[in-house]
Amino acid sequence: MKFILDNWMLISIAVVSGVLLLMPVIQGAATAGLSPAGAVQLINREKAVVIDICEPAEFAAGHLGGAKNIPLGELEAKLGAAVKNKALPLILVCQSGARSARAVAIAKKLGYVQAQSLGGGLSAWKAANLPVEKA
């Protein structure tokens, strides 16, 4: 106890530095998923398939170029017909990234082992100044 009282300043510095070191890890967990730059690389280099899981009205308002629209509620039934090659990388996109994270679990259950969610969704894509198509 005497050690703690004598060295309280050193202990507080150690605790603060530990918290600051963990901040990127904590923030990274909140924005889990593929970055827009990583998605572009997958699309260009590995011919990834982009599936937009938004509702048709959201999809018409704006989506990634070349994306196929399969609403989340229909994903399990229609994904097999839309993407036959389960070895291809699959990028699932929604407006914010929350629904696409759930869609990744569905896709992996169906056998798409390279399924990933676009972290931040279409909002992050737009924030990175990447092109958006409108129907």
Side-chain angles (χ1 to χ4, degrees):
M1 190 66 165
K2 182 177 183 321
F3 176 79
I4 293 173
L5 292 174
D6 289 342
N7 298 302
W8 68 270
M9 188 166 261
L10 291 175
I11 292 170
S12 63
I13 290 172
V15 169
V16 168
S17 65
V19 169
L20 291 175
L21 285 171
L22 288 175
M23 287 299 285
V25 174
I26 294 168
Q27 290 173 342
T31 58
L34 189 62
S35 70
V40 170
Q41 286 183 344
L42 275 179
I43 293 166
N44 291 338
R45 293 183 182 165
E46 298 184 36
K47 306 296 182 222
V49 179
V50 180
I51 303 292
D52 192 313
I53 60 159
C54 294
E55 295 301 316
E58 291 175 297
F59 182 77
H63 57 274
L64 278 68
K68 298 177 183 180
N69 182 230
I70 304 175
L72 181 60
E74 303 170 11
L75 187 65
E76 197 163 353
K78 294 185 176 180
L79 186 59
V83 184
K84 297 193 184 333
N85 186 353
K86 293 183 178 185
L88 282 176
L90 190 64
I91 302 172
L92 296 150
V93 183
C94 68
Q95 290 296 324
S96 66
R99 288 179 288 176
S100 60
R102 287 186 286 162
V104 168
I106 294 170
K108 287 190 176 185
K109 184 177 81 170
L110 294 173
Y112 296 90
V113 292
Q114 293 193 54
Q116 298 181 59
S117 170
L118 179 62
L122 188 62
S123 300
W125 186 266
K126 288 178 182 177
N129 292 321
L130 293 167
V132 175
E133 290 183 355
K134 293 186 179 183

